[in-house]
């Protein structure tokens, strides 16, 4: 008979697969950058921000912070490698925007220093295990909720234009499924309040995006709904 711990593991593996899909989503964008040898008008912000998010969740999933959450660390470790690759490609082909290189490197340095400070405080200043989880978990939740909320900015445009042209349906759908999977993961066997908080809110945010999409889908001119979206999909961590 399958027990709750095994069910949690299976759901966590499914969550890893779906999250990997989200991390891999911008591959088409970076293939375009590679072919054109230019970053054009694509923003580096989503990828640099996701590097920070991944580093935080990798640390959170380690036994020194939270036991039985290694699946959180595994997918974010993979995501960190993918995001650093994206950032590396961006640095390689942002030649006509020389100031971008300096900004990106400074942001990355700031992120590494910030995470290092958080790690040091957690390991050497905070002695209580519950407080360790709370300290790191709350910081992770702030970043994760912000990333789940980022596609919701398109809702304002949709309502104003009565068109879903700039709201990628697939991104919202996958975010909804992913957040739902990790919410389920956080509730089984051992409740993980911090994975639950950000992904529970993420589920509601993604659901609101889907509701708005279906509300305005019919009012969108047909040629626009069929046109390939030029919206840059952010490969944000979804754990």
């Amino acid at each position: 008979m399958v027990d709750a711990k095994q069910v949690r593991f299976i759901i966590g593996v499914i969550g890893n697969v779906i999250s990997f899909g989200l991390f891999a989503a911008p591959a088409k964008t970076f293939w375009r950058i590679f072919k054109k040898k230019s970053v054009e008008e694509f923003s580096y912000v989503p990828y640099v921000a996701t590097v920070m998010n991944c580093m935080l969740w990798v640390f959170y999933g380690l036994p020194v912070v939270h036991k039985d959450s290694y699946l959180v660390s595994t997918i974010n470790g993979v995501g960190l490698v993918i995001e650093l690759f994206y950032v590396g490609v961006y640095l390689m082909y942002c030649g006509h925007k020389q100031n971008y290189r300096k900004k990106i490197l400074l942001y990355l340095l700031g992120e590494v220093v910030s995470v290092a400070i958080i790690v040091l405080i957690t390991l050497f200043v905070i002695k209580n295990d519950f407080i360790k989880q709370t300290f790191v978990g709350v910081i992770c939740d702030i970043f994760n909720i912000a990333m789940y909320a980022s596609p919701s900015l398109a809702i304002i445009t949709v309502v104003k234009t009565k068109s879903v042209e700039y709201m990628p349906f697939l991104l919202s759908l996958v975010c909804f499924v992913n957040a739902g999977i990790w919410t389920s993961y956080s509730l089984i066997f051992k409740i993980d309040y911090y994975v639950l908080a950000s992904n529970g809110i993420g589920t509601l945010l993604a659901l609101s995006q889907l509701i708005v999409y279906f509300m305005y889908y019919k009012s969108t001119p047909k040629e626009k709904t069929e046109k390939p979206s030029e919206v840059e999909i952010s490969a944000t961590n979804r754990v």
Side-chain angles (χ1 to χ4, degrees), residues 23 50-66 69-81 115 119 136 140 237 239:
F23 283 126
T50 306
V51 167
M52 176 74 168
N53 205 28
C54 286
M55 287 192 291
L56 287 170
W57 281 107
V58 166
F59 182 53
Y60 176 84
L62 295 178
V64 292
V65 177
H66 195 287
S69 286
Y70 60 90
L71 286 174
V72 173
S73 289
T74 55
I75 186 56
N76 282 284
V78 172
L80 179 59
V81 172
V115 172
V119 170
V136 180
C140 288
N237 168 59
V239 175

Side-chain angles (χ1 to χ4, degrees), residues 185-207:
Y185 171 87
S186 69
L187 290 170
I188 298 173
F189 184 60
K190 285 184 179 180
I191 297 179
D192 189 326
Y193 294 102
Y194 305 105
V195 172
L196 173 61
S198 58
N199 285 282
I201 293 172
T203 302
L204 295 175
L205 288 169
L207 178 60

Side-chain angles (χ1 to χ4, degrees), residues 15-233:
N16 269 239
V17 173
I18 297 173
S19 294
F20 177 81
L22 281 170
F23 283 126
K28 185 177 179 181
T29 294
F30 283 88
W31 177 243
R32 172 175 166 171
I33 289 173
F34 175 76
K35 288 195 298 182
K36 295 196 172 186
K37 311 298 183 188
S38 171
V39 297
E40 300 177 279
E41 297 305 316
F42 288 112
S43 172
Y44 60 84
V45 174
Y47 312 103
V48 174
T50 306
V51 167
M52 176 74 168
N53 205 28
C54 286
M55 287 192 291
L56 287 170
W57 281 107
V58 166
F59 182 53
Y60 176 84
L62 295 178
V64 292
V65 177
H66 195 287
K67 296 178 177 63
D68 299 316
S69 286
Y70 60 90
L71 286 174
V72 173
S73 289
T74 55
I75 186 56
N76 282 284
V78 172
L80 179 59
V81 172
I82 293 173
E83 296 303 317
L84 287 173
F85 173 76
Y86 290 153
V87 172
V89 173
Y90 198 100
L91 285 169
M92 190 180 301
Y93 294 112
C94 66
H96 67 293
K97 299 180 178 181
Q98 292 295 334
N99 62 321
Y100 276 25
R101 281 201 178 97
K102 183 177 180 181
K103 284 182 180 180
I104 292 170
L105 292 173
L106 285 174
Y107 283 139
L108 289 175
L109 177 62
E111 289 177 356
V112 170
V113 171
S114 298
V115 172
I117 291 172
I118 291 169
V119 170
L120 291 173
I121 291 174
T122 304
L123 296 180
F124 300 108
V125 178
I126 303 173
K127 304 301 180 183
N128 182 277
D129 288 343
F130 175 76
I131 297 176
K132 283 182 180 181
Q133 289 180 23
T134 302
F135 174 64
V136 180
V138 168
I139 295 172
C140 288
D141 277 347
I142 291 171
F143 278 88
N144 219 28
I145 291 169
M147 291 192 162
Y148 270 125
S150 59
S152 295
L153 296 174
I155 290 177
I156 299 172
T157 304
V158 171
V159 174
K160 283 183 178 179
T161 62
K162 300 189 186 304
S163 168
V164 297
E165 180 184 5
Y166 298 109
M167 176 177 278
F169 171 75
L170 186 59
L171 176 61
S172 297
L173 178 61
V174 176
C175 284
F176 175 71
V177 174
N178 189 65
I181 288 290
W182 284 106
T183 298
S184 300
Y185 171 87
S186 69
L187 290 170
I188 298 173
F189 184 60
K190 285 184 179 180
I191 297 179
D192 189 326
Y193 294 102
Y194 305 105
V195 172
L196 173 61
S198 58
N199 285 282
I201 293 172
T203 302
L204 295 175
L205 288 169
L207 178 60
S208 69
Q209 295 159 24
L210 291 173
I211 291 172
V212 170
Y213 184 92
F214 286 112
M215 284 175 61
Y216 290 96
Y217 176 78
K218 289 185 177 180
S219 64
T220 305
K222 187 176 180 181
E223 63 272 14
K224 290 190 175 182
T225 58
E226 293 178 348
K227 184 177 68 175
S229 174
E230 291 298 324
V231 176
E232 180 180 8
I233 298 178

